[in-house]
Amino acid sequence: MSTAVAQKRGLGAAIWDYLTTVDHKKIAHLYLVSGGLFFLIGGLEAMLIRIQLMKPDNNFLSAGLYNEMITMHGTTMIFLAAMPLIFALMNAVVPLQIGARDVAFPFLNSLGFWLFLFGGLLLNVSWFTGGAPDAGWTNYAPLSTTSPGHGVDYYVMGLQISGAGTLIGGINFLVTIVNMRAPGMSYMRMPLFTWSVFVTSTLILFAFPALTVGLFLMMFDRMFGSAFFDVGLGGNVIIWEHLFWIFGHPEVYILILPLFGAFSDIFPTFSKKRLFGYSAMVFATVLIGFLGFMVWAHHMFTVGMGPIANSIFAVATMAIAVPTGIKIFNWLFTMWGGQIRMTSAMLWTVAFIPSFTIGGMTGVMLAAAAADFQYHDTYFVVGHFHYVIVGGVAFGIFAALHYWWPKMFGQVLNEKLGKLAFWPFFIGFHLTFFIQHFLGLMGMPRRYWVFLEGQGLATGNLISTIGAFLMAIGTVIFLINIVYTAVKGEKADADPWENGRTLEWSIPSPPPYYNFVQTPLVRGLDPLWIEKMEGKKGMTPAEPLGDIHMPNGSILPFTMSLGMFIAGFGFIYQVDDKAWLAAVFIGMGITLGSMFIRSVKDDLGYHIHKEELEADIKKGAGK
Amino acid sequence: MRGWMGKFRSLFLFGALTLILSGCGVDNLSALKPKGYGAELLLDLMIISIAIMIFVFVIVMAIYAFVLIRYKQKKGQENLIPKQTEGNKALEVIWTVIPIILLLVLAVPTVQATFDLADTSGQDDENAITIDVIGNQYWWHFNYAGQEIATSQELYIPTGERVYLNMKSSDVIHSFWLPSIAGKMDTNPGENINSMYLEAYEEGVYWGHCAELCGPSHSLMDFRVIAVSPDEFDQWVEDMKNVDPEATPETASAQEGQELFNNNCMSCHAIGGSSAGVGPNLTNFGNREKIAGIMDPSKENLVDWITNPDEIKPGNQMPANIVSKEEASKIADYLLQLKHSDVGTDVPTRNTDE
Amino acid sequence: MSHEDVLNPKHMPHDPEKATLEGKNKFLGFWFFLGGETVLFASLFGTYIALNGSTQGENTPEHLFGLELVFLMTMFLLTSSLTSVYAMYHMKNHDFGKMQTWLAITVLLGLAFLGCEIYEFYHYIHEYGFTFQSSAFGSAFYTLLSFHGGHVLFGLLWIVTLMVRNQKRGLNLYNAPKFYIASLYWHFIDVVWVFIFTVVYLMGKVG
Amino acid sequence: MANHSKPAHQAEYERKQHKEEMKQQVISFVLMILFTLIAFALVMFEVNSYFIIPTLIILAVVQVAFQLYYFMHMKNKGHDMPALMIYGGAAVAFLTIVTFTSIIWW
Ligand code: HEA
Ligand code: HEA
Ligand SMILES: [Cu+2]
């Protein structure tokens, strides 16, 4: 029972608590810490890349190592940094925003996290066992199927395991949002962050299975001698490209949509105005998700699909600019007529608009199929996607973290340091990536270990590297801010921004482990704002004070994932020595055994009694 | 807030400045300095799209700047509650419809250009020049279909004429990119052949890259396209057809080199003819612009390459140390005197100033 | 709803599988999962179709497949779908004993199906030398079929576990959703099989 | 939630309803078997025609619809979300299959 454990204290107890927790708020912490660490690792890899490209003919990294570096940078950033950081936000915020006490499947929630973490660890172990994957984050066959060593095997197993975790997380949030909303919270009253998590989860549900299959085929080819990508036996290497991008394009919207949602909550809060065009925003979100599935082949314009397919995918891709534009203008008009307060969270949010717009526009330029014959696989593309990913996703994560930090940790991040971190990162970001568009057009392909002297590319690359260092400085200041704030330890109010509009701001920061003493009654969009405008202090409860049902913690998610981790090694090394099959059996045994225990052991949870709650209210839980 | 915008503006100025400083890249490499039909068409398309983007960006930034300056909370307004506008149908229609129109304006030339560049029907014409391109880790093989000519790394084409390329790969996926003449196209392993065409306007030596990650030496898989006048091209074809692979070189050292070459290297390489060996065809090697696509054609570099190719192009297939350094030097003498055609040696090369 | 109520309900509601919030969540979550499975199998089918002709000139679909066995397998699986429907029918009527009986029949039919499939693979490998590694077609065929077969196996283990576990305690609001989604899973396996016999075997024979 | 005191006639009514549903399910089962027979017969007796492949596909789709709507109760109330997700999955599935049958062979 988590209350009992929490009272025991001591490091061991705290660790055990986190290993077994099924509380979405603690799982959010876990996601944040591990995603954050992976971001630092990915960032470090980016710095090494930039140092190698600082000058022509540089020899800082060797050719093979460089390829490992870009592959791990891309893979780590997308799968192990951006996704988990987004999951951290989803876990921290969605149940609170919809007035729920927990997610629909607390156990699966924890399982999803541990699968992700063990998958990520497996991937990174490859650095120490003779070489990381080196075929690019896109892992195109047959470069990947013929890549020597075990690097690509780690890619396959690592992503398979962490991908399973993501899929589980996606289903969990879908059901949570459909089934667990507080009374009165109709779909069209859901905060936009919740809405975009809903759409994102749908994308995860439909996109990840394609990756799963692709990874299986890759695994079979590399480990069990099948011939999917072996042209000698009739295989076809383009199958991988399609499967990867059927997953891969929706993936980029999986990354950006939750942050669009976060921005849609931040703009109103700091403009003191309701979101402009709420229903259009919802519609645009759904439309982006929908169109996201019809455009994947824009990554394959030069593969040789022919002009008809190229044209169809070009036009479909361009169409996405329309709903995205609707969003941009709605955000601008949310600020229009408002009272804009430039907190750090708002600073990142405001900086996102021009940055992402540039990225989106270069995206539309890329979508012009014929012109992509020049852009494709050059630094123009690198410029495009860092503009949308760093200028959209990374800015968004920074903004959202500043915004929800008090809700997650009960402390407001220091504003001065927040702004101090922003400026070097922002300037460095534009320095690094703006120039890359031109480098690409001037003839610099991406994934180039060296560029040669005399091609007019030296100045641009140097500027780009300098920018990357500025970004690193910004990141470090942000880290300092976290430590500084934690050490200072000032408690935050329930509604530290004073203009909170949604339900999460109606309960203490951080919330008690059961979130809401009484489920709130929602009377419209921005429920807390409505109550405040009517002069009330907080939400009206929808139910009388009563016992609360809570799920039990469990170590099984951890052991299941550990089993997969062990089995992963077995699969990778059984190619060299069949004795490693033992690891497969042991690992799968642990996993299936845990599943078996889970299915035969009744787990009905426990109840928090009314008396306990009343005591908590006296201490201020009800507010 | 003003300071904020100021910094933003200077940032863009800085960007623009660096752009001017670096020009638009070097001649014969940059996609921004087209020297052929495809590249020109694509630059036009890019300019249309950039114009649209700048138009949109200016509008977005104008609203943005106005909003941020005008509606920033001032001192003493902390308790003011602005009007909670729900939306505005008319405005929303405007910013839905205008982008649609702009995108249609972009879509039409896009589709046109896409079909234009994919139109390789001209290669059915009897006189059309068709070349098979095969990507290998990490070199390019060119086979002139129907003529017993094969070259590697350097592709000769006539100016003012469409030359059709039929492309595939012998190992992993590569991509043939010639920025200043045409776009790029992947070379895939397997049965399927991709086609594209080159049409160079002027004589010149054009720089090409492999654009699809293909292994450790991906960034060193460069090639050249040498465009010469049609007459000279015919001359070149003539020269190449009459290569005598067994011709005895003049110097003694080169003669020994030939012997060594035949004994050690011929299992992979070839001279003359169209045989595509495991390694590049070395016909006309003495006139090559670069060794291995990247090094200046000095004897020293060549000896380095022959003895230790793996240090220069990591991961490539040529074995190291099959011959000693002295032997390599003789082979280098032999190879460097392989000048089968003078065509193209006088073509203006790329502009190398930074 | 208290634990006592969930485990020993005095009255079973009309839809026991959806009577609790946990049940509703399971029900919905499982349907969503099936939505994802649809894409998973579509990717496998797509791959199979794309590599259909990559037989290296031997062991083509026309040559390999015999429809008699496939017909038998189809009948087993379709019938097992009906029997699992019967099981759910009895669940809704709160007749635990009959539900268990019908589930047992379902399991037997599933086992019969699996037996046929194993025989079929054995036959191809030993009679024709047609394996997972012999051609891209071989890889695609065995992968698609084994993914489905693996689902059948997992479904069987799942249903058997549920039956054994709950043998003594009877039906309650805690295990009803579990039985219900296991049967959904079983139907989905059947749906996939319908496409397999159509696309792989019948269309393979037509050529 | 659970109706704790369920009158006898209500229970009787529900039983009847279940029976009715079961009848429909048996009918759909018979139809499914029939479709299967037709499909196999078309191929076994080599009824060669242009339409054989489309026919086979239609037979399969109809059969699957029976599975989903009757056996898996998608026709019943409270299945909007399941239907949405299944159709979503089916749409992505459709695109995927179309891709793999067409443009992969450029
Ligand atoms: C968060 C991630 C993200 C996002 C949101 C996007 C958004 C878009 N992307 Fe991007 N993209 C990537 C991540 C992302 N992309 C990545 C990682 C790659 C490379 C993968 C790899 O190869 O490694 C890539 C590659 C990529 C390519 C392939 C390039 C190539 O390899 O050759 C293309 C081509 O069409 C493309 C297009 C687009 C488009 C049209 C959008 C649109 O959604 C953008 C829409 C937004 C706007 C247009 C701005 C706002 C709109 C207005 C202000 C309205 C008015 C505008 C107009 C009328 C134009 N992207
Ligand atoms: C979420 C996605 C994401 C993010 C955030 C980033 C962030 C950055 N990326 Fe990355 N990038 C990709 C996704 C991302 N990238 C992908 C998908 C590719 C394609 C890969 C491929 O081709 O396969 C790519 C490729 C790529 C390239 C091209 C490589 C090539 O083609 O050869 C470059 C080059 O400049 C680059 C640079 C950077 C930089 C400078 C950052 C910066 O923004 C990073 C800023 C962060 C830091 C600087 C962290 C600083 C931290 C510290 C200094 C502390 C370290 C301490 C400890 C570890 C304890 N990236
Ligand atoms: Cu994309």
Side-chain angles (χ1 to χ4, degrees), chain A residues 37 39-44 46-47 49-50 53 66 70-71 73-75 77-78 81-82 135-139 255 379 382 385-386 389-390 393-394 425 429 432-433 436 445-449 464 467-469 471-473 475-476 479, chain B residues 213:
Chain A
L37 275 178
F39 177 76
L40 292 180
I41 295 173
L44 192 67
M47 296 310 295
I49 293 173
R50 280 316 327 163
L53 295 178
Y66 182 83
I70 58 156
T71 306
H73 164 67
T75 315
M77 280 298 195
I78 302 245
W137 85 286
T138 51
N139 208 45
L255 293 178
Y379 265 82
V382 177
F385 69 75
H386 283 92
I389 288 190
V390 179
V393 181
F425 197 96
F429 158 70
T432 310
F433 298 115
Q436 290 187 350
R446 65 190 280 205
R447 295 168 170 177
Y448 259 32
W449 159 55
S464 187
F469 276 99
M471 275 194 276
I473 293 172
T475 313
V476 170
L479 295 179
Chain B
L213 181 62

Side-chain angles (χ1 to χ4, degrees), chain A residues 179 224 227 233-234 600 602-603, chain C residues 25 54 133 136 139 165 169 174:
Chain A
N179 273 357
F224 301 108
L233 287 172
V600 300
D602 282 351
D603 183 3
Chain C
N25 286 347
S54 302
Q133 306 182 341
S139 305
R165 170 70 180 103
R169 27 165 50 200
Y174 182 66

Side-chain angles (χ1 to χ4, degrees), chain A residues 104-105 174-175 178-179 205-206 209 213 216 224-228 232-235 549 599-600 602-605 607, chain C residues 3 7 22 24-25 28-29 32-33 36 39-40 43 51 54 56 132-134 136 139-140 143 147 161 165 169 174 178:
Chain A
F105 307 110
L174 279 175
V175 179
V178 174
N179 273 357
L205 178 63
F206 295 145
V213 170
F216 268 121
F224 301 108
S226 62
F228 293 102
L233 287 172
H549 178 235
S599 94
V600 300
D602 282 351
D603 183 3
L604 292 155
H607 283 92
Chain C
H3 295 168
L7 287 181
E22 283 73 25
K24 284 197 193 106
N25 286 347
L28 201 63
F32 291 176
F33 171 72
V39 181
L40 182 109
S43 305
L51 295 175
S54 302
Q56 299 302 89
F132 185 57
Q133 306 182 341
S134 41
S139 305
T143 301
F147 259 84
T161 310
R165 170 70 180 103
R169 27 165 50 200
Y174 182 66
K178 297 190 177 197

Side-chain angles (χ1 to χ4, degrees), chain D residues 55-90:
Chain D
T55 314
L56 289 175
I57 291 172
I58 289 172
L59 285 172
V61 169
V62 175
Q63 205 182 125
V64 163
F66 274 119
Q67 278 276 0
L68 287 172
Y69 278 89
Y70 287 92
F71 283 15
M72 296 167 83
H73 308 284
M74 238 166 74
K75 67 174 178 29
N76 294 6
K77 265 209 323 270
H79 282 72
D80 310 333
M81 271 294 158
L84 185 69
M85 290 300 161
I86 288 291
Y87 283 118

Side-chain angles (χ1 to χ4, degrees), chain C residues 79-152:
Chain C
T79 312
S80 80
S81 227
L82 182 74
T83 57
S84 83
V85 164
Y86 265 109
M88 288 308 105
Y89 168 68
H90 290 298
M91 182 180 94
K92 295 213 173 192
N93 286 339
H94 316 143
D95 187 339
F96 184 69
K98 281 196 181 139
M99 177 178 103
Q100 291 281 74
T101 314
W102 283 107
L103 283 179
I105 299 174
T106 308
V107 168
L108 289 180
L109 287 165
L111 281 175
F113 172 88
L114 264 190
C116 293
E117 182 147 77
I118 290 167
Y119 167 77
E120 188 197 4
F121 285 4
Y122 180 84
H123 180 70
Y124 290 158
I125 293 169
H126 289 270
E127 294 291 307
Y128 297 95
F130 173 65
T131 70
F132 185 57
Q133 306 182 341
S134 41
S135 64
F137 167 64
S139 305
F141 173 80
Y142 284 109
T143 301
L144 175 59
L145 272 281
S146 315
F147 259 84
H148 177 262
H151 275 69
V152 174

